[in-house]
Amino acid sequence: MANPTFSTLLNIAAYAPIVLFTESLRVQRAMVASILSPRSIAPAITGCVKDLHRLWHLDDAQLFGNFKDERAASVTSVKHGSSFPLQNQTVLQLAGVLRGDAGNAGMLVPYQPAVGEGFRTRRETVVNLSFMLPHENGSGKRGFCWLQGVCWAVTFLEFAVPTVLAFYMAIWRHVTGVILMTAFSLSVLILAVLRFLTHPIIANQSEISKFRKDTAKGLSTLDVHVIADHWNDKSLSVVCGYSSHLHALTNIPMEVNRPRLLLWAGRGLAVVLLAQAASLASLIGDENNAWLSLSWLALYILMLGPSHIFSAYLPESAYENHTATLTRVPPIRFSCRRAALVFISRLPTSRRAYVEDWAWTNVFMPDNARRRVWQAQVDLFDLVTLEKYPEAHGQDLSEENDPEYQKSKTLLKEASAAYHHPQVLQPLLSYKRSVGLQKASA
């Protein structure tokens, strides 16, 4: 007779996998990663039963964007001075552009103002800076390489191992075990089909050749997009690149070349997830087969490993099909919001004559007389040298002993320190050279 204590613990452990089906869908990220690039490893997937309706009626705009019923993040364009809801949010997350608050690990703190240096209270702001450029070949389809071969080899193992286990379960006549292992195999197979037969359709791809010509002439049209969950958020994601390229990413929904295949893949995964959840629920209270639940959980955890390792070390691989390369700067911590805004304002941007230089900051602070005085004080100085621009000499917008003037100087010191930090300056200079800007302008 089995130990009563052991039997009780085994019955309790059978409930563990059910918790995975109360979380938000992991299947969205798996499907997006599979469509974006052949150089990806989809994770093992689970889903909440209440979200199966979304999978059954899946469309590409919903898949790449905000899958949940949540308020979309917002974007403001430094060049255009406009703001709009973020599109393709999941793509940006997989690419590593949206990093959120990364904590203190690896964070850059270029300058820390003294307590009495102009500010009574401070509001820390973290800037996650990225530079995005099109691939040289101008095409999202890349040739076969060893990395892609590794991805397909891991995918084959993820399909083969559950299939073999399902075969043995059939020999032992464990019907529930056959269903659970087959669910693993089918989900891997469906995602592999998406990876092989689908790719995203991104707007403005015809502009890439024009970007190259303009770069050679030094006429690149550049923009900076600032992204935040809300404009009171302490973490800002900032991406620099060609204007049309950025808008294709943040403002125009991406599509899939085979929408009908995507629809039926979503329905197939919905059926697989439903059968998987039902099979796990049937094991609750079954002392003889409770071990199947733990076996499923162990295999699930093992299958999560390759995708997590791959995405941690090669996050840009999920972005191959967008014909872009990404350079990420470690998170930069500023002591206050305005220092971060000053830093962002001096990133390479093609200004428009009929758009005010600071119009993009309207989402952060009101356009009143106090802000205009502050803007005028900041615009007097070169961020690189911290000296007044030649045309600014003779302008006396504020006395040197004015507290507001000293605050502006402190903001410039902090923004300049961030600009000159080696881990910021080197990627920035490389980006400027790539887009045809003169190095002397750095």
Side-chain angles (χ1 to χ4, degrees):
M1 181 179 294
N3 189 315
T5 302
F6 178 76
S7 298
T8 302
L9 292 176
L10 195 60
N11 285 330
I12 294 174
Y15 285 88
I18 301 299
V19 177
L20 296 174
F21 286 85
T22 64
E23 65 176 1
S24 298
L25 280 171
R26 191 191 300 272
V27 67
Q28 181 200 16
R29 293 176 65 89
M31 294 181 74
V32 172
S34 298
I35 293 170
L36 282 180
S37 174
R39 305 179 186 184
S40 62
I41 299 176
I45 59 174
T46 60
C48 187
V49 175
K50 70 179 179 65
D51 289 325
L52 292 180
H53 181 268
R54 288 192 179 93
L55 277 178
W56 197 261
H57 301 281
L58 188 62
D59 61 63
D60 38 14
Q62 184 185 47
L63 178 66
F64 290 122
N66 189 3
F67 206 72
K68 308 171 188 176
D69 293 327
E70 296 179 353
R71 184 176 179 270
S74 299
V75 186
T76 183
S77 167
V78 174
K79 174 188 174 184
H80 298 275
S82 59
S83 61
F84 45 86
L86 175 64
Q87 304 293 327
N88 311 314
Q89 182 169 328
T90 305
V91 176
L92 287 168
Q93 290 172 341
L94 286 174
V97 175
L98 302 182
R99 288 174 276 176
D101 188 357
N104 294 322
M107 188 174 293
L108 305 180
V109 188
Y111 182 83
Q112 192 66 33
V115 174
E117 198 170 3
F119 296 95
R120 294 190 301 272
T121 60
R122 297 198 181 106
R123 181 178 168 198
E124 290 187 350
T125 299
V126 177
V127 171
N128 296 300
L129 178 63
S130 303
F131 301 100
M132 183 177 70
L133 288 171
H135 287 309
E136 293 290 342
N137 61 6
S139 171
K141 288 295 184 182
R142 307 294 298 277
F144 189 87
C145 68
W146 67 270
L147 184 59
Q148 189 173 336
V150 170
C151 293
W152 282 110
V154 173
T155 300
F156 175 76
L157 288 176
E158 289 183 339
F159 173 79
V161 171
T163 301
V164 172
L165 291 175
F167 176 76
Y168 280 106
M169 293 289 182
I171 294 176
W172 298 334
R173 297 184 179 180
H174 289 296
V175 178
T176 304
V178 172
I179 295 175
L180 289 175
M181 295 302 110
T182 303
F184 270 129
S185 299
L186 288 177
S187 63
V188 172
L189 180 62
I190 292 172
L191 294 174
V193 170
L194 285 177
R195 192 193 312 175
F196 186 71
L197 295 178
T198 63
H199 62 81
I201 299 174
I202 302 105
N204 297 334
Q205 289 302 295
S206 61
E207 295 290 327
I208 292 180
S209 59
K210 180 177 181 297
F211 290 149
R212 292 295 173 192
K213 295 177 183 178
D214 289 347
T215 296
K217 299 176 183 179
L219 300 174
S220 302
T221 304
L222 306 176
D223 200 356
V224 177
H225 283 193
V226 184
I227 307 169
D229 288 339
H230 52 83
W231 297 124
N232 204 34
D233 195 355
K234 68 171 292 188
S235 178
L236 302 178
S237 296
V238 180
V239 57
C240 305
Y242 294 119
S243 179
S244 295
H245 206 196
L246 291 183
H247 277 278
L249 173 66
T250 63
N251 197 23
I252 304 176
M254 294 168 60
E255 299 178 356
V256 177
N257 64 321
R258 289 185 170 93
R260 294 294 297 177
L261 177 59
L262 175 65
L263 175 64
W264 286 104
R267 292 179 176 180
L269 287 174
V271 173
V272 169
L273 289 173
L274 188 60
Q276 190 172 254
S279 299
L280 288 171
S282 70
L283 296 175
I284 297 175
D286 187 349
E287 297 183 6
N288 296 325
N289 293 318
W291 61 273
L292 285 173
S293 182
L294 294 179
S295 300
W296 179 91
L297 183 60
L299 184 59
Y300 171 81
I301 294 173
L302 286 174
M303 291 179 68
L304 287 179
S307 65
H308 279 288
I309 295 172
F310 191 83
S311 60
Y313 288 96
L314 294 168
E316 68 279 1
S317 64
Y319 204 52
E320 288 291 342
N321 273 351
H322 198 298
T323 71
T325 55
L326 284 166
T327 302
R328 299 166 194 78
V329 175
I332 311 169
R333 189 177 71 186
F334 293 91
S335 65
C336 66
R337 174 58 57 88
R338 284 195 289 172
L341 297 181
V342 171
F343 172 77
I344 295 171
S345 71
R346 302 304 172 91
L347 293 171
T349 309
S350 303
R351 302 291 184 178
R352 285 192 164 187
Y354 54 86
V355 177
E356 294 184 7
D357 288 351
W358 292 90
W360 63 278
T361 62
N362 290 341
V363 295
F364 295 102
M365 60 180 109
D367 185 13
N368 52 27
R370 180 182 178 185
R371 194 188 92 175
R372 287 192 288 273
V373 170
W374 167 70
Q375 290 172 188
Q377 292 172 345
V378 170
D379 287 338
L380 290 175
F381 293 89
D382 183 353
L383 191 64
V384 177
T385 63
L386 287 181
E387 298 291 336
K388 281 187 176 182
Y389 287 111
E391 61 271 20
H393 286 290
Q395 297 186 36
D396 189 18
L397 296 176
S398 183
E399 298 295 334
E400 291 287 336
N401 58 357
D402 183 356
E404 293 298 322
Y405 185 83
Q406 296 305 320
K407 289 181 182 180
S408 299
K409 290 293 293 289
T410 300
L411 296 175
L412 285 162
K413 288 180 184 178
E414 187 170 0
S416 179
Y419 188 97
H420 286 92
H421 194 285
Q423 290 181 271
V424 178
L425 185 60
Q426 292 305 318
L428 179 58
L429 292 179
S430 177
Y431 170 74
K432 285 186 173 183
R433 287 192 293 268
S434 298
V435 297
L437 297 180
Q438 295 181 355
K439 186 177 179 181
S441 66

